[in-house]
C-alpha cells in the first residue's frame, strides 16, 4: 500500500531525512505524484508544442588532428556561439567505459536505502560525496523528480577513499579521461577568441571537477513534473552522458522568446554544454545553454554530467584579449564563490548570468 503524507514536512522527511529518495516514493506504489511535484504550466516540458529544429550531427573530435582541423574548429565555435551545446564522438572516452558508468549508476540507486543513506550530508560529514534528491527540496516550492549522487574530485587519493565503493573506480576513470577531452575543447574555443590556454589558465577555468549521477525513476505523471528544472550551468563546460532513454531539452534562442528542442541520445556520443563561466570569459560570444530534463512513465533512466568549473577562490570575468578586441567589457569581475551563492539562492530559474553583467554608472 502506498504511503500517505499528511503534509509537506512528512513527505520531505520520507524523501530527504530518511533517505528513501524519489526512487523510494516511486517504488511505494503511488498512482499519482503528490502535489509538491506538480510544476506550474510554464515550467512543464510539452513535447507537443516543440518546434522542429535542425540538430547538427555529432562532431568528430578525432578530426582535430587531421587535415579538417580548421573546419572542425569552426563547427565547434559556431555551435558554442549560436546554441550553447554540441554532441561529440571519437572523443577519447571508450564506449565500454560509458556503458560501465551507466550500469554503475543504476546499481548504486537500486541498492537498499540503508546502503545509500550513509552518503546523506546530514548523516556523514564527507566533503567529497553527497547523496540527495531534487535541487534544494527544503527551499524550493516544487520538488524535482530526481535523485542524485555527487562526487567532488579533490585528488585521486580522496576519490578512492571517500567515493562510494560501487562507483569510485569507474567514475574516477571517466573523470580523468573526459577531462583530457574538456581541455582540448576549451583550448580550441579559446584559441578562436585569440587566447592561448596554458597550465595556469587551465587550472583557473577547469580546476574544480564533479561527477554527478542522476537517477530519474519512472513517474506516474510525466506531463506534470520535471526531472531537472530549466537552468544554465554555472561552470565552464559540462560533459553530459545520456542513456538510451534520453530526456534532455535545450532552449534555442530565436527572434522571439526562444523555443525548446529535445536532444536525442546517440550511442557513444557525449553532449558538451557551455556554462555561464565560459559565456563570461568570452564576453558573451559563447552562450551558456538553458536546459532542463523531462520525466517518463516508461522506465527509469540515468544521466551522468561531469561539471568542470573554476575554484571557489578564483575570479571570473571577460578575458583581457577579448575585451581589447570588443572594445568593451560586458561582464564584471566576480568571485566564483559569490556567483555560485547567487545561483543557489535562486535555484533552477532559467539563467542567472545577469548577476555578473556590467551595470551602468
Amino acid at each position: 500500500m502506498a504511503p500517505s503524507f499528511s503534509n509537506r514536512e512528512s513527505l520531505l522527511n520520507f524523501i530527504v531525512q530518511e533517505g528513501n529518495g524519489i526512487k523510494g516514493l516511486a517504488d511505494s506504489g503511488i498512482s499519482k505524484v503528490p502535489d509538491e511535484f506538480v510544476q506550474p504550466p510554464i515550467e512543464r516540458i510539452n513535447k507537443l508544442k516543440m518546434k522542429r529544429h535542425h540538430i547538427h550531427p555529432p562532431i568528430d573530435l578525432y578530426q582535430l588532428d587531421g587535415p579538417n582541423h580548421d573546419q572542425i574548429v569552426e563547427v565547434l565555435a559556431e555551435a558554442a556561439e549560436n546554441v550553447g551545446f554540441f554532441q561529440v564522438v571519437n572523443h577519447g572516452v571508450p564506449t565500454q567505459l560509458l556503458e560501465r558508468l551507466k550500469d554503475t549508476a543504476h546499481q548504486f540507486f537500486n541498492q537498499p536505502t540503508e546502503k545509500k543513506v550513509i552518503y546523506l550530508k546530514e548523516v556523514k560529514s564527507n566533503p567529497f560525496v553527497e547523496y540527495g534528491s531534487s535541487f534544494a527540496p527544503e527551499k524550493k516550492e516544487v520538488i524535482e523528480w530526481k535523485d542524485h549522487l555527487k562526487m567532488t574530485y579533490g585528488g585521486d587519493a580522496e576519490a578512492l577513499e571517500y567515493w562510494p565503493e560501487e562507483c569510485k573506480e569507474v567514475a574516477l576513470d571517466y573523470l580523468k579521461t573526459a577531462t583530457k577531452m574538456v581541455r582540448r575543447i576549451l583550448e580550441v574555443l579559446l584559441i578562436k577568441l585569440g587566447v592561448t590556454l596554458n597550465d595556469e589558465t587551465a587550472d583557473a577555468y577547469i580546476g574544480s571537477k564533479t561527477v554527478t549521477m542522476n537517477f530519474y525513476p519512472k513517474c506516474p505523471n510525466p506531463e506534470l513534473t520535471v526531472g531537472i528544472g530549466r537552468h544554465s550551468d554555472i561552470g565552464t563546460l559540462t560533459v553530459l552522458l545520456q542513456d538510451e532513454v534520453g530526456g534532455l531539452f535545450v532552449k534555442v534562442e530565436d527572434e522571439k522568446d526562444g523555443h525548446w528542442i529535445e536532444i536525442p541520445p546517440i550511442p557513444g556520443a557525449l553532449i558538451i554544454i557551455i556554462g555561464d563561466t565560459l559565456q563570461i570569459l568570452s564576453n558573451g560570444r559563447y552562450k551558456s545553454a538553458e536546459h532542463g530534463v523531462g520525466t517518463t512513465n516508461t522506465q527509469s533512466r540515468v544521466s551522468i554530467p561531469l561539471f568542470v568549473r573554476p575554484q571557489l577562490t578564483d575570479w571570473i570575468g571577460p578575458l583581457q584579449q577579448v575585451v581589447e578586441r570588443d572594445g568593451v567589457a560586458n561582464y564584471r569581475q566576480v568571485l566564483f564563490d559569490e556567483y555560485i551563492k547567487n545561483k543557489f539562492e535562486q535555484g533552477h530559474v532559467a539563467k542567472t548570468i545577469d548577476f555578473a553583467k556590467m551595470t551602468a554608472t
Side-chain angles (χ1 to χ4, degrees):
M1 182 177 178
S4 61
F5 303 100
S6 57
N7 52 37
R8 181 184 178 89
E9 183 179 354
S10 62
L11 174 65
L12 288 178
N13 185 65
F14 177 85
I15 294 171
V16 180
Q17 279 75 33
E18 295 178 9
N20 293 292
I22 309 300
K23 184 180 186 301
L25 181 64
D27 289 348
S28 70
I30 60 170
S31 58
K32 65 177 183 178
V33 298
D35 292 342
E36 287 81 0
F37 289 91
V38 178
Q39 296 284 337
I42 194 173
E43 300 294 338
R44 299 173 194 171
I45 297 173
N46 190 335
K47 292 186 180 182
L48 298 178
K49 291 185 178 180
M50 290 188 181
K51 296 181 181 179
R52 293 194 172 206
H53 185 92
H54 171 71
I55 299 177
H56 196 283
I59 301 169
D60 186 352
L61 291 187
Y62 182 76
Q63 294 191 52
L64 282 174
D65 296 318
N68 294 327
H69 171 87
D70 292 348
Q71 179 184 349
I72 298 300
V73 170
E74 289 296 329
V75 173
L76 290 170
E78 181 181 359
E81 291 175 18
N82 296 328
V83 293
F85 78 96
F86 44 85
Q87 299 192 73
V88 295
V89 293
N90 291 327
H91 37 60
V93 185
T95 301
Q96 298 92 329
L97 176 57
L98 300 180
E99 293 303 314
R100 284 175 53 214
L101 194 64
K102 291 185 286 187
D103 290 343
T104 300
H106 278 286
Q107 290 168 11
F108 176 84
F109 288 104
N110 282 314
Q111 295 181 111
T113 298
E114 56 267 24
K115 295 280 189 177
K116 297 176 287 188
V117 74
I118 61 172
Y119 298 108
L120 286 171
K121 60 183 178 181
E122 295 85 359
V123 173
K124 186 175 183 180
S125 178
N126 181 343
F128 302 103
V129 182
E130 179 187 307
Y131 163 68
S133 301
S134 185
F135 181 93
E138 301 91 342
K139 298 180 181 179
K140 294 289 288 181
E141 184 177 348
V142 183
I143 307 173
E144 297 167 335
W145 193 262
K146 178 205 70 167
D147 296 327
H148 63 261
L149 175 69
K150 182 169 71 173
M151 293 171 281
T152 300
Y153 182 70
D156 290 5
E158 289 81 1
L160 293 173
E161 179 177 356
Y162 292 104
W163 289 7
E165 188 70 31
E166 306 85 355
C167 311
K168 62 184 181 184
E169 291 186 0
V170 65
L172 183 58
D173 194 3
Y174 172 66
L175 180 146
K176 297 175 78 171
T177 307
T179 297
K180 296 177 184 177
M181 171 196 65
V182 166
R183 180 170 177 140
R184 185 72 191 280
I185 291 173
L186 183 60
E187 179 182 30
V188 165
L189 292 176
L190 291 184
I191 288 175
K192 189 67 177 171
L193 297 175
V195 179
T196 300
L197 184 68
N198 55 40
D199 289 342
E200 183 178 353
T201 52
D203 288 342
Y205 308 145
I206 61 174
S208 174
K209 307 173 188 69
T210 301
V211 177
T212 299
M213 293 180 170
N214 293 321
F215 184 81
Y216 310 92
K218 274 199 312 184
C219 179
N221 301 109
E223 74 284 359
L224 300 177
T225 59
V226 298
I228 301 178
R230 58 195 182 107
H231 67 287
S232 61
D233 294 335
I234 57 177
T236 305
L237 292 170
T238 299
V239 182
L240 179 65
L241 171 62
Q242 289 200 98
D243 65 9
E244 66 281 357
V245 182
L248 174 67
F249 296 84
V250 176
K251 187 178 183 181
V252 177
E253 301 299 329
D254 55 25
E255 64 279 2
K256 296 183 180 179
D257 297 326
H259 60 275
W260 289 86
I261 60 173
E262 184 173 10
I263 311 304
I266 297 175
L270 291 168
I271 301 169
I272 309 299
I273 301 174
I274 307 299
D276 290 352
T277 295
L278 187 52
Q279 179 168 333
I280 293 169
L281 293 173
S282 69
N283 206 30
R285 180 167 173 180
Y286 299 140
K287 307 294 192 298
S288 61
E290 186 178 340
H291 55 286
V293 178
T295 59
T296 176
N297 58 6
T298 57
Q299 62 186 103
S300 298
R301 59 175 292 265
V302 296
S303 68
I304 299 100
L306 165 62
F307 297 106
V308 179
R309 307 166 173 168
Q311 300 281 5
L312 295 177
T313 54
D314 288 326
W315 289 82
I316 58 174
L319 297 165
Q320 180 180 350
Q321 299 94 320
V322 183
V323 174
E324 290 174 355
R325 181 203 67 200
D326 294 346
V328 62
N330 297 320
Y331 301 94
R332 59 188 176 91
Q333 295 286 328
V334 180
L335 185 66
F336 191 62
D337 186 36
E338 292 181 3
Y339 192 82
I340 284 185
K341 287 177 179 176
N342 174 72
K343 173 71 175 182
F344 277 74
E345 284 174 1
Q346 299 187 53
H348 287 162
V349 287
K351 297 178 70 169
T352 57
I353 200 167
D354 283 353
F355 177 75
K357 274 195 172 180
M358 294 291 287
T359 55
T361 57

